[in-house]
Amino acid sequence: MNMKVLLAAALCTLVLGCSKDAAPTDPNAETGPPEILSLTAEKLQILYGGQDPAIITCEARGGNLTYKWAVDLGDIIPLNPSRSKVSFNGSACCVGEKTITCTVSNSQGSVSKTIIITILEAVNVPEIIALQTDKTALNSSTGETASLVCYAIGGQLKYAWEADCGVVSINPADSSRATYTATPACAGTRTLTCRVSNGMGSDTKTLQLTIGK
């Protein structure tokens, strides 16, 4: 080997560190504190239930990263070994805006970022599951009242109440609940009706109370 070749090889080794035996760079080596580059979702609105999940991806750098996810209501399921990608869905109890937090950490610190996913209520034809009362017999002369509740499914429901005699007072905070008050003129068997409706249709159910003087 001539002198020029030897000098070139020595220069490469000393200045550039290009020895053929050098170990390759470890892509997982810790190079600094974690930094979240982006937190994105394929969609920001989903229907409740497990059939319409949002896929959320956290892109970060820093090396030796650990990903942790949190939400007040709903299910987060990891989709890859590092947990940097997850699916999120919620049940009927979770309808509304949900703030999902991703925290990325290593031995040099941690950083968090949030994203908001809105869970929408699925709208179907209304169905009344049950119409219940805490009393089936009332004494009208003492102003006795009965509490009513109409359990229904279907989404975006509107409730309407009727009585063939007496007064139905709808709960202003929850129209699926009401209070019935009878007068002496209503003595006998009286029928109360709950009707639920939305853009898909309606359903009606009745119950009977015995009113005494």
Side-chain angles (χ1 to χ4, degrees):
M1 183 178 295
N2 61 40
M3 185 61 66
K4 288 184 179 181
V5 173
L6 290 174
L7 289 176
L11 181 63
C12 177
T13 300
L14 294 175
V15 178
L16 300 179
C18 55
S19 170
K20 66 179 180 180
D21 296 325
T25 301
D26 182 357
N28 294 317
E30 194 165 302
T31 59
E35 178 185 356
I36 295 178
L37 304 178
S38 64
L39 182 61
T40 58
E42 293 182 355
K43 49 189 171 185
L44 298 177
Q45 292 184 336
I46 61 175
L47 298 176
Y48 73 73
Q51 304 304 313
D52 184 38
I55 307 302
I56 308 172
T57 303
C58 182
E59 183 181 356
R61 64 186 177 191
N64 290 336
L65 298 177
T66 299
Y67 296 80
K68 291 185 178 181
W69 299 81
V71 66
D72 55 349
L73 288 171
D75 298 318
I76 296 176
I77 302 173
L79 296 180
N80 60 358
S82 70
R83 302 174 68 93
S84 64
K85 177 181 286 190
V86 299
S87 69
F88 170 73
N89 60 68
S91 61
C93 68
C94 308
V95 170
E97 291 186 350
K98 301 302 166 190
T99 300
I100 299 170
T101 302
C102 179
T103 300
V104 182
S105 59
N106 62 19
S107 63
Q108 299 190 47
S110 64
V111 63
S112 298
K113 196 174 183 66
T114 62
I115 190 170
I116 294 177
I117 303 295
T118 301
I119 301 175
L120 304 176
E121 187 176 20
V123 179
N124 298 302
V125 176
E127 179 184 359
I128 295 177
I129 305 302
L131 178 57
Q132 298 178 348
T133 178
D134 63 338
K135 300 172 185 175
T136 57
L138 299 176
N139 187 335
S140 61
S141 63
T142 61
E144 194 173 9
T145 62
S147 295
L148 312 171
V149 58
C150 186
Y151 295 103
I153 58 175
Q156 300 180 8
L157 297 175
K158 295 181 179 179
Y159 294 80
W161 293 86
E162 296 178 358
D164 60 355
C165 185
V167 178
V168 178
S169 301
I170 300 175
N171 186 325
D174 181 359
S175 58
S176 69
R177 297 177 180 272
T179 301
Y180 173 73
T181 305
T183 65
C186 297
T189 301
R190 294 302 171 187
T191 300
L192 281 69
T193 302
C194 175
R195 181 176 183 271
V196 295
S197 61
N198 61 19
M200 301 288 289
S202 64
D203 192 17
T204 301
K205 201 172 189 66
T206 63
L207 62 78
Q208 292 184 326
L209 301 181
T210 300
I211 310 301
K213 294 184 178 180

